[in-house]
Short mmCIF file of all heavy atoms in Angstrom, two decimals:
data_model
loop_
_atom_site.label_atom_id
_atom_site.label_comp_id
_atom_site.label_asym_id
_atom_site.label_seq_id
_atom_site.Cartn_x
_atom_site.Cartn_y
_atom_site.Cartn_z
N PRO A 565 -1.60 -5.65 -5.20
CA PRO A 565 -1.76 -5.26 -3.83
C PRO A 565 -3.25 -5.24 -3.44
O PRO A 565 -3.57 -5.50 -2.23
CB PRO A 565 -1.21 -3.81 -3.90
CG PRO A 565 -0.08 -3.84 -4.95
CD PRO A 565 -0.78 -4.77 -5.96
N LEU A 569 -4.81 -7.28 -0.35
CA LEU A 569 -5.58 -6.56 0.62
C LEU A 569 -6.94 -7.30 0.89
O LEU A 569 -7.23 -7.66 2.09
CB LEU A 569 -5.74 -5.17 0.24
CG LEU A 569 -6.66 -4.26 1.27
CD1 LEU A 569 -5.94 -4.19 2.56
CD2 LEU A 569 -7.10 -2.97 0.54
N GLY A 580 -10.38 -15.16 12.79
CA GLY A 580 -11.05 -14.65 13.97
C GLY A 580 -12.29 -15.40 14.21
O GLY A 580 -12.66 -15.65 15.44
N PHE A 581 -13.03 -15.65 13.17
CA PHE A 581 -14.28 -16.41 13.25
C PHE A 581 -14.07 -17.69 13.91
O PHE A 581 -14.95 -18.19 14.62
CB PHE A 581 -14.98 -16.40 11.83
CG PHE A 581 -16.33 -17.29 11.91
CD1 PHE A 581 -17.34 -16.58 12.34
CD2 PHE A 581 -16.44 -18.46 11.50
CE1 PHE A 581 -18.63 -17.28 12.43
CE2 PHE A 581 -17.54 -19.14 11.47
CZ PHE A 581 -18.71 -18.63 11.96
N TYR A 586 -7.80 -12.26 18.52
CA TYR A 586 -7.08 -11.08 18.07
C TYR A 586 -7.75 -10.54 16.59
O TYR A 586 -7.86 -9.41 16.50
CB TYR A 586 -5.59 -11.35 17.79
CG TYR A 586 -4.83 -10.17 17.29
CD1 TYR A 586 -4.51 -9.17 18.15
CD2 TYR A 586 -4.49 -10.07 15.94
CE1 TYR A 586 -3.68 -8.08 17.76
CE2 TYR A 586 -3.74 -9.06 15.52
CZ TYR A 586 -3.37 -7.89 16.44
OH TYR A 586 -2.72 -6.86 15.99
N TRP A 590 -13.23 -6.48 13.10
CA TRP A 590 -12.72 -6.18 11.54
C TRP A 590 -11.65 -5.22 11.54
O TRP A 590 -10.87 -5.24 10.67
CB TRP A 590 -14.04 -5.77 10.78
CG TRP A 590 -14.56 -4.29 11.25
CD1 TRP A 590 -15.55 -4.08 12.09
CD2 TRP A 590 -14.06 -3.03 10.70
NE1 TRP A 590 -15.74 -2.65 12.32
CE2 TRP A 590 -14.88 -2.06 11.38
CE3 TRP A 590 -13.05 -2.66 9.83
CZ2 TRP A 590 -14.60 -0.73 11.16
CZ3 TRP A 590 -12.85 -1.29 9.60
CH2 TRP A 590 -13.76 -0.31 10.26
N THR A 592 -8.90 -4.86 13.53
CA THR A 592 -7.72 -5.63 13.59
C THR A 592 -7.32 -6.41 12.35
O THR A 592 -6.19 -6.39 11.88
CB THR A 592 -7.59 -6.56 14.85
OG1 THR A 592 -8.09 -5.85 15.99
CG2 THR A 592 -6.29 -7.24 15.10
N LEU A 603 3.83 -4.04 3.26
CA LEU A 603 5.06 -4.76 3.39
C LEU A 603 5.34 -5.44 2.06
O LEU A 603 6.46 -5.43 1.57
CB LEU A 603 5.05 -5.84 4.45
CG LEU A 603 5.00 -5.32 5.95
CD1 LEU A 603 4.85 -6.38 6.91
CD2 LEU A 603 6.44 -4.58 6.19
N PHE A 604 4.28 -5.93 1.33
CA PHE A 604 4.47 -6.47 0.08
C PHE A 604 4.87 -5.46 -1.00
O PHE A 604 5.80 -5.68 -1.64
CB PHE A 604 3.03 -7.19 -0.39
CG PHE A 604 3.06 -7.72 -1.80
CD1 PHE A 604 3.74 -8.82 -2.10
CD2 PHE A 604 2.51 -6.90 -2.78
CE1 PHE A 604 3.69 -9.33 -3.41
CE2 PHE A 604 2.65 -7.39 -4.11
CZ PHE A 604 3.20 -8.64 -4.42
N VAL A 621 9.09 8.09 -11.01
CA VAL A 621 9.28 9.30 -10.35
C VAL A 621 9.22 10.35 -11.34
O VAL A 621 9.93 10.32 -12.19
CB VAL A 621 10.55 9.23 -9.55
CG1 VAL A 621 10.87 10.59 -8.79
CG2 VAL A 621 10.66 8.17 -8.47
N PRO A 622 8.47 11.42 -11.01
CA PRO A 622 8.36 12.60 -11.92
C PRO A 622 9.75 13.19 -12.12
O PRO A 622 10.55 13.38 -11.15
CB PRO A 622 7.35 13.60 -11.31
CG PRO A 622 6.56 12.69 -10.48
CD PRO A 622 7.37 11.61 -9.97
N PRO A 623 10.16 13.63 -13.35
CA PRO A 623 11.57 14.18 -13.58
C PRO A 623 11.82 15.46 -12.79
O PRO A 623 12.88 15.85 -12.69
CB PRO A 623 11.56 14.40 -15.16
CG PRO A 623 10.20 14.35 -15.53
CD PRO A 623 9.39 13.60 -14.55
N ALA A 624 10.69 16.26 -12.37
CA ALA A 624 11.01 17.42 -11.67
C ALA A 624 11.59 17.15 -10.23
O ALA A 624 12.17 18.10 -9.71
CB ALA A 624 9.65 18.10 -11.52
N PRO A 626 14.22 15.66 -7.61
CA PRO A 626 15.67 15.12 -7.65
C PRO A 626 15.96 13.77 -7.07
O PRO A 626 14.98 13.35 -6.19
CB PRO A 626 16.46 16.29 -6.81
CG PRO A 626 15.37 16.63 -5.80
CD PRO A 626 14.09 16.60 -6.56
N PHE A 630 16.95 7.63 -4.53
CA PHE A 630 16.80 7.92 -3.13
C PHE A 630 15.20 7.91 -2.83
O PHE A 630 14.83 7.39 -1.65
CB PHE A 630 17.40 9.29 -2.75
CG PHE A 630 17.06 9.62 -1.25
CD1 PHE A 630 17.73 9.02 -0.21
CD2 PHE A 630 16.11 10.64 -0.99
CE1 PHE A 630 17.42 9.35 1.27
CE2 PHE A 630 15.80 10.93 0.32
CZ PHE A 630 16.49 10.36 1.37
N ILE A 637 11.21 2.45 2.72
CA ILE A 637 11.28 2.40 4.13
C ILE A 637 10.14 3.01 4.82
O ILE A 637 9.73 2.50 5.85
CB ILE A 637 12.62 3.40 4.44
CG1 ILE A 637 13.79 2.43 4.00
CG2 ILE A 637 12.72 3.62 5.89
CD1 ILE A 637 15.16 3.35 3.98
N ILE A 640 7.34 0.42 5.09
CA ILE A 640 7.70 -0.61 6.08
C ILE A 640 7.43 -0.14 7.46
O ILE A 640 6.75 -0.59 8.35
CB ILE A 640 9.09 -1.06 5.99
CG1 ILE A 640 9.35 -1.93 4.72
CG2 ILE A 640 9.51 -1.91 7.31
CD1 ILE A 640 10.79 -2.21 4.38
N PRO A 649 -0.89 -0.86 18.58
CA PRO A 649 -2.15 0.03 18.88
C PRO A 649 -1.87 1.46 19.13
O PRO A 649 -2.54 2.40 18.61
CB PRO A 649 -2.73 -0.65 20.07
CG PRO A 649 -2.32 -2.15 19.87
CD PRO A 649 -0.91 -2.03 19.38
N ALA A 655 0.28 6.09 12.18
CA ALA A 655 0.75 5.34 11.09
C ALA A 655 -0.29 5.36 9.97
O ALA A 655 0.12 5.57 8.74
CB ALA A 655 0.94 3.97 11.60
N LEU A 659 0.58 6.87 6.35
CA LEU A 659 0.54 6.15 5.14
C LEU A 659 -0.55 6.78 4.12
O LEU A 659 -0.35 6.64 2.98
CB LEU A 659 0.02 4.66 5.50
CG LEU A 659 1.16 3.89 6.11
CD1 LEU A 659 0.49 2.53 6.60
CD2 LEU A 659 2.28 3.52 5.09
N LEU A 663 0.47 7.80 0.45
CA LEU A 663 -0.34 7.28 -0.78
C LEU A 663 -0.68 8.61 -1.69
O LEU A 663 -0.57 8.55 -2.92
CB LEU A 663 -1.59 6.61 -0.46
CG LEU A 663 -1.39 5.36 0.09
CD1 LEU A 663 -2.79 4.75 0.51
CD2 LEU A 663 -0.96 4.27 -1.16
N ALA A 674 1.06 5.74 -15.71
CA ALA A 674 -0.20 5.43 -16.57
C ALA A 674 -0.07 6.20 -17.95
O ALA A 674 -0.28 5.61 -18.98
CB ALA A 674 -1.52 5.75 -15.89
N PRO A 690 -8.87 3.17 -13.54
CA PRO A 690 -8.87 2.06 -12.45
C PRO A 690 -7.89 2.40 -11.31
O PRO A 690 -8.06 2.04 -10.18
CB PRO A 690 -8.55 0.81 -13.30
CG PRO A 690 -8.89 1.12 -14.67
CD PRO A 690 -8.63 2.61 -14.75
N LEU A 694 -8.55 2.39 -7.39
CA LEU A 694 -7.83 1.67 -6.34
C LEU A 694 -7.24 2.65 -5.36
O LEU A 694 -7.04 2.20 -4.16
CB LEU A 694 -6.62 0.86 -7.08
CG LEU A 694 -7.00 -0.32 -7.96
CD1 LEU A 694 -5.85 -0.94 -8.70
CD2 LEU A 694 -7.60 -1.39 -7.02
N ILE A 697 -9.81 3.35 -2.80
CA ILE A 697 -9.87 2.18 -1.93
C ILE A 697 -8.76 1.97 -0.89
O ILE A 697 -8.95 1.79 0.22
CB ILE A 697 -10.16 0.94 -2.76
CG1 ILE A 697 -11.42 1.00 -3.66
CG2 ILE A 697 -10.11 -0.35 -1.93
CD1 ILE A 697 -11.50 -0.09 -4.67
N PHE A 698 -7.49 2.21 -1.46
CA PHE A 698 -6.34 2.11 -0.46
C PHE A 698 -6.35 3.19 0.58
O PHE A 698 -6.17 2.95 1.65
CB PHE A 698 -5.10 2.15 -1.37
CG PHE A 698 -4.76 0.92 -2.21
CD1 PHE A 698 -4.06 1.12 -3.42
CD2 PHE A 698 -5.30 -0.25 -1.92
CE1 PHE A 698 -3.72 0.14 -4.28
CE2 PHE A 698 -5.10 -1.36 -2.75
CZ PHE A 698 -4.25 -1.21 -3.95
N ALA A 701 -9.19 2.17 3.06
CA ALA A 701 -8.65 1.13 3.85
C ALA A 701 -7.56 1.52 5.00
O ALA A 701 -7.71 1.23 6.08
CB ALA A 701 -8.06 -0.05 3.06
N TYR A 707 -8.31 3.53 12.90
CA TYR A 707 -9.30 3.91 13.83
C TYR A 707 -10.14 2.84 14.36
O TYR A 707 -10.27 1.75 13.88
CB TYR A 707 -10.04 4.96 13.31
CG TYR A 707 -9.12 6.34 13.08
CD1 TYR A 707 -8.53 6.51 11.91
CD2 TYR A 707 -8.92 7.12 14.08
CE1 TYR A 707 -7.75 7.59 11.69
CE2 TYR A 707 -8.12 8.22 14.03
CZ TYR A 707 -7.63 8.51 12.76
OH TYR A 707 -6.65 9.64 12.66
#
Side-chain angles (χ1 to χ4, degrees):
L569 175 67
F581 179 76
Y586 181 76
W590 71 267
T592 306
L603 290 173
F604 174 79
V621 176
F630 172 77
I637 291 169
I640 293 168
L659 287 170
L663 284 172
L694 284 173
I697 292 168
F698 294 152
Y707 295 94

